[in-house]
Amino acid sequence: MNLKVLASSSRGNCYLLETDKDKLMLECGITFKNIKKGLNFDLTGVCGCLVTHEHKDHCKAINDVLNAGIDVYTSKGTAEALNINHHRLNVAEPKVQFEIGNLIILPFDTEHDATEPLGFLIQNKATGEKILFATDTYYVKYRFTGLNYIMVECNYCQDILAENIEKEIIPKRLKDRILESHFSLDNVKDFLKANDLAEVRKIILLHLSGDNSDSRRMQKEIKELTGIETVIAKSNIEVELKMFPF
């Protein structure tokens, strides 16, 4: 499998997960023009798009994606918040498994200031490989086993956020929203320590804040904590997801 990052920030998020048979879009929070560019203007093989919640940096192009004939999967709350009713819009329920092409998807509820946000556990039926996708949440209450790849938000460092608030770079009124909506480096560490990482080959850190993060520090500390290769999701990079050879 291969992961292509089209965008990963508060300005927009979109990822392409490619298997031998399918291309699954994770989020569509950039212009449809840029999505098509990332697909080399070839929508063939795109089996669907998972949308976590209704904030524009995650769903900006949702109407264009639907109108292009691509099935979108999101929660009922997200669909209602966006006021979308389309024959290609599919309601995903937390902890109710479904299939898209050669992939098995298990949605789960997350913690964010949105109507009904979701994360997704994705399994490749052909290989059995499991990918966890969790973004825009300050906490994940579930525990996972048998994961091979983890795509997780690592939005901010608490000390950098505090310093930016003290210097009035970040308005104090935004502090609670950040703390109650996004994964800090410390919370990501706690999440990883609480889960079974025995079979995890790569950790991809998503959605870093432009003002409140330190990508080198985050990458270093997660790698030191887990001993697992850690990648920062940056626009236009590709990450090979390959279990064998180890």
Side-chain angles (χ1 to χ4, degrees), residues 36-152:
K36 290 190 291 185
K37 184 177 179 182
L39 287 162
N40 295 318
F41 300 95
D42 181 10
L43 301 182
T44 305
V46 178
C47 60
C49 175
L50 305 181
V51 173
T52 58
H53 65 288
E54 69 267 23
H55 293 161
K56 291 302 179 184
D57 58 323
H58 295 262
C59 69
K60 182 175 185 176
I62 190 168
N63 286 307
D64 292 321
V65 170
L66 289 165
N67 291 331
I70 298 171
D71 285 328
V72 172
Y73 301 79
T74 194
S75 70
K76 180 180 179 182
T78 299
E80 291 176 348
L82 292 170
N83 193 28
I84 292 178
N85 183 14
H86 193 283
H87 69 281
R88 287 200 173 272
L89 184 69
N90 301 270
V91 172
E93 298 181 28
K95 295 180 280 188
V96 178
Q97 185 173 286
F98 61 93
E99 296 186 10
I100 307 176
N102 196 44
L103 299 167
I104 301 170
I105 315 295
L106 180 64
F108 57 91
D109 49 299
T110 57
E111 307 291 337
H112 190 53
D113 61 340
T115 307
E116 191 182 3
L118 296 174
F120 298 96
L121 178 63
I122 304 164
Q123 184 172 19
N124 186 335
K125 285 196 292 186
T127 64
E129 293 166 286
K130 291 182 181 180
I131 303 170
L132 182 73
F133 179 60
T135 187
D136 284 49
T137 185
Y138 67 91
Y139 177 69
V140 176
K141 62 185 177 183
Y142 300 106
R143 299 295 174 260
F144 303 90
T145 59
L147 297 176
N148 304 117
Y149 317 105
I150 296 176
M151 298 175 63
V152 62

Side-chain angles (χ1 to χ4, degrees), residues 130-181:
K130 291 182 181 180
I131 303 170
L132 182 73
F133 179 60
T135 187
D136 284 49
T137 185
Y138 67 91
Y139 177 69
V140 176
K141 62 185 177 183
Y142 300 106
R143 299 295 174 260
F144 303 90
T145 59
L147 297 176
N148 304 117
Y149 317 105
I150 296 176
M151 298 175 63
V152 62
E153 177 189 42
C154 193
N155 187 257
Y156 66 97
C157 300
Q158 290 178 337
D159 57 329
I160 296 176
L161 174 62
E163 183 178 346
N164 284 337
I165 291 171
E166 181 69 24
K167 293 180 178 178
E168 300 184 346
I169 296 172
I170 302 295
K172 288 184 179 180
R173 60 184 172 80
L174 293 180
K175 178 182 177 181
D176 288 343
R177 181 186 182 271
I178 294 171
L179 293 176
E180 296 177 3
S181 298

Side-chain angles (χ1 to χ4, degrees), residues 4-20:
K4 187 172 184 179
V5 179
L6 302 190
S8 186
S9 74
S10 58
R11 294 184 297 275
N13 296 271
C14 187
Y15 313 88
L16 297 174
L17 179 62
E18 302 174 336
T19 71
D20 290 341

